[in-house]
Amino acid sequence: MTPQQHFSVTHDRLKDCELVGLAQAGDRDAFRLITQRCNQRLYRIARAIVRNDVEAEDVVQAAYLRAFANLAGFRREASIRTWLTRIALNEARGRLRSRRRSIRFEDAVHANVPLSNADAETPEAHTARVQIRELIEQAIDRLPSPFRIVFVMREIENCWTQETADLLALAPETVKTRLHRARRLLRL
């Protein structure tokens, strides 16, 4: 095992708060591991806001750049995941505001991201899985924005009610109500 491989294995065992300390000390491997642990969550939340796969990826990338540039100022009052989520939320909302000020354009065609990591599946099963994913994404995309972001954070990313409320600056009761209404709209 090379020294670099040993270093990576050691990092994998660290908790997020320990990685933050290393990252703040300039350890890029620690920051890279933090981003790997948070990628899926940030992407899904960004996608719920901007409703475009490519733009959601751009939001996540911009959020990481902003976080890395300001990592020294991270005060650890919240978890690193919460801090990164807040940055991604702000970036996504900013893009929506600038999009509204610019030319309106048609929705981009969404990339087909598998629902699962099935290694060996038939072409029919793959096609069905892709179609189901597209239907789910379309249904979620049709939710009104306040319901959509709460639904994604609570149901897809499994954020707690209080965490969702804090990140979105809402009362916990509002989060519960919006989640209930989102579920009801998706059943129709």
Side-chain angles (χ1 to χ4, degrees), residues 161 165 170-179:
T161 300
L170 299 171
E173 295 76 22
T174 304
V175 169
K176 292 176 186 177
T177 301
R178 289 182 182 180
L179 178 60

Side-chain angles (χ1 to χ4, degrees), residues 11-27:
H11 275 60
D12 286 342
R13 296 182 184 150
L14 296 176
K15 295 179 181 177
D16 288 351
C17 59
E18 296 168 317
L19 288 171
V20 169
L22 290 172
Q24 286 178 319
D27 185 335

Side-chain angles (χ1 to χ4, degrees), residues 28-69:
R28 291 180 185 256
D29 287 330
F31 190 79
R32 187 176 306 118
L33 188 55
I34 290 168
T35 61
Q36 289 171 356
R37 290 179 181 178
C38 297
N39 268 340
Q40 188 175 42
R41 176 186 193 172
L42 298 183
Y43 171 79
R44 286 180 175 165
I45 290 170
R47 171 103 183 32
I49 294 172
V50 298
R51 297 195 281 181
N52 176 287
D53 293 341
V54 174
E55 192 169 8
E57 291 172 3
D58 290 344
V59 165
V60 172
Q61 188 72 19
Y64 284 140
L65 289 172
R66 185 166 291 153
F68 187 74

Side-chain angles (χ1 to χ4, degrees), residues 89-100:
L89 280 167
N90 290 338
E91 180 68 27
R93 288 175 174 158
R95 286 177 185 248
L96 279 185
R97 283 190 296 276
S98 66
R99 183 191 299 170
R100 288 183 190 126

Side-chain angles (χ1 to χ4, degrees), residues 108-163:
V109 176
H110 302 298
N112 295 327
V113 180
L115 285 172
S116 67
N117 293 332
D119 292 331
E121 67 178 343
T122 65
E124 295 83 10
H126 173 75
T127 301
R129 190 171 37 80
V130 168
Q131 289 174 344
I132 290 168
R133 177 165 179 87
E134 287 175 353
L135 289 172
I136 291 169
E137 283 180 353
Q138 289 169 7
I140 292 170
D141 284 350
R142 284 192 298 268
L143 288 172
S145 181
F147 300 150
R148 184 176 57 250
I149 187 62
V150 168
F151 180 82
V152 169
M153 290 180 76
R154 292 281 293 122
E155 293 295 328
I156 297 174
E157 285 307 312
N158 298 316
C159 293
W160 295 343
T161 300
Q162 188 63 50
E163 180 182 14

